[in-house]
Amino acid sequence: SGGADEGGTSDHHSAASDRSNDDIEEDLVMESADIGLSETDLRCPLTMRMLADPVISRCKHVYSRAAIVEYLSGRRDGRRCPVAGCSAVVKVSELVAAQGHQRRVAQLRLIEEFATPDDDNIRVTQID
């Protein structure tokens, strides 16, 4: 008890499967509410680009919605998580909007917009 069984799954996973989808979805929403995320955390593991319409899976990996939906297309029973080392099955029906990630992406885009100089207003002066 508490360890891995012969099939390689832990008691933690079997306990998680006893929980309702609503409980798991609530946990995922709470997890995604954390906005203390690095820029690396905001990259889709499928596209390696900044997240767009981020969603979080039961295995707590975050993807751009269009990328993971395309990865899972035609696989109603799900497909193995594309993140290296993760053996969880990901299903479109179990993806939840990653609201915290979305807020952080929006913040970064806003910062980049104001931090990126307008080329027309830049003068480079060399100082000797």
Side-chain angles (χ1 to χ4, degrees):
S1 158
D5 63 22
E6 289 177 21
T9 58
S10 70
D11 292 341
H12 171 76
H13 285 97
S14 60
S17 64
D18 293 338
R19 300 177 62 214
S20 75
N21 282 344
D22 288 341
D23 290 340
I24 293 169
E25 184 171 324
E26 184 177 329
D27 287 350
L28 294 175
V29 168
M30 294 303 288
E31 178 120 353
S32 78
D34 177 20
I35 59 169
L37 301 165
S38 74
E39 210 168 316
T40 305
D41 296 326
L42 299 174
R43 294 199 182 281
C44 175
L46 291 167
T47 65
M48 301 310 293
R49 298 182 66 147
M50 183 84 72
L51 291 166
D53 192 12
V55 291
I56 190 167
S57 64
R58 282 186 173 216
C59 56
K60 301 190 178 168
H61 293 119
V62 180
Y63 313 91
S64 292
R65 183 181 301 272
I68 191 66
V69 167
E70 181 179 334
Y71 175 79
L72 298 171
S73 67
R75 304 290 291 266
R76 292 174 60 196
D77 292 336
R79 189 171 176 187
R80 179 182 224 136
C81 177
V83 174
C86 183
S87 61
V89 174
V90 179
K91 298 179 183 180
V92 171
S93 62
E94 295 174 350
L95 297 172
V96 177
Q99 297 167 346
H101 287 75
Q102 181 63 48
R103 282 194 299 275
R104 187 67 179 124
V105 166
Q107 288 172 344
L108 279 178
R109 288 203 168 122
L110 193 60
I111 289 166
E112 287 174 357
E113 182 180 322
F114 284 104
T116 303
D118 183 355
D119 292 337
D120 294 337
N121 295 325
I122 296 176
R123 284 186 194 212
V124 178
T125 308
Q126 185 171 354
I127 301 175
D128 293 323

